[in-house]
Amino acid sequence: GTARNTTLDTLLGSIRNKMADPNTPSWLSPETPASPPTGMVPVEIDSSGVNAAAASPSTNAAEASAIGDAADEADLPGVILMMRLANMAAAGGLIAVSIWLMTTIPSISAFVLAFYATCGGILICCLETQLKFLRVVIAVNFGFLFHSVWRFFFYFLLASVAWSYDHLFGKIAAGGMGAAAVFNTYVLCRYPSYRKMRDKIAEEEDKRIEARISKEVRRQAASHLTK
């Protein structure tokens, strides 16, 4: 038993010497846990900053949209005034050219078209004056002028009539009416608040029209009863 213990001690001692030898293979050396390098401080990531950075694009987009809407609201009165002046200028040019054509004693068909264009130009001028009593009369009898699409086609109809005059001033008047039609459509598409304002005005006009119609109905009913 003593000899066996002596032999084991000798083997363990030789193994320790080989492990301490610098030429010993790495697989024979005991593994030591790697220690973190000195001077490095653990960094904590703040998730709130990441979330704020992720949410910032949508917030910036909303702020930019609000700023754009405010700028549109500020520009809207000037744009509406410009549009009304453009409509009245185009209608005035159409009236002038049509009356001039009628004074030249043209053919009957040309005279009828010139008279129709003159009436259309006067109608546009009356509408753009924004007088309440005129607006009610126009809304009752010419309601298509309060619809953007039908108004666009009406302007182009007047432009085609002016183009048929076969004269330079007629071509100029036709171009003015076409430009006014396009500009009206652009304003309606570019400024949604103007559409809302027009819808509100149209609702008020509808109420006035209904009140006027009911008043007329009551008057006619009373007149029938008195007969």
Side-chain angles (χ1 to χ4, degrees), residues 8-9 14 20 42 55 65-66 68 75 96 102 105 112 124 135 153 177:
L8 289 174
D9 292 337
S14 63
S65 178
D75 296 340
M102 287 188 290
I105 311 176
V112 171
I124 292 173
R135 285 182 64 88
F153 282 114
M177 289 302 301

Side-chain angles (χ1 to χ4, degrees), residues 32-138:
T32 58
S35 60
T38 58
M40 294 185 65
V41 181
V43 179
E44 295 182 358
I45 298 176
D46 187 7
S47 61
S48 62
V50 177
N51 296 332
S56 59
S58 59
T59 305
N60 294 335
E63 292 177 355
S65 178
I67 293 172
D69 293 340
D72 290 344
E73 291 289 342
D75 296 340
L76 187 57
V79 172
I80 293 174
L81 178 61
M82 186 184 302
M83 182 183 68
R84 289 177 179 171
L85 292 176
N87 290 337
M88 295 187 70
L94 179 64
I95 293 170
V97 173
S98 300
I99 292 176
W100 172 80
L101 181 64
M102 287 188 290
T103 58
T104 60
I105 311 176
S107 63
I108 296 177
S109 60
F111 185 88
V112 171
L113 289 175
F115 181 77
Y116 175 81
T118 302
C119 294
I122 294 173
L123 181 63
I124 292 173
C125 290
C126 291
L127 178 64
E128 295 301 334
T129 56
Q130 299 297 312
L131 297 176
K132 288 185 178 180
F133 68 95
L134 288 177
R135 285 182 64 88
V136 172
V137 174
I138 292 172

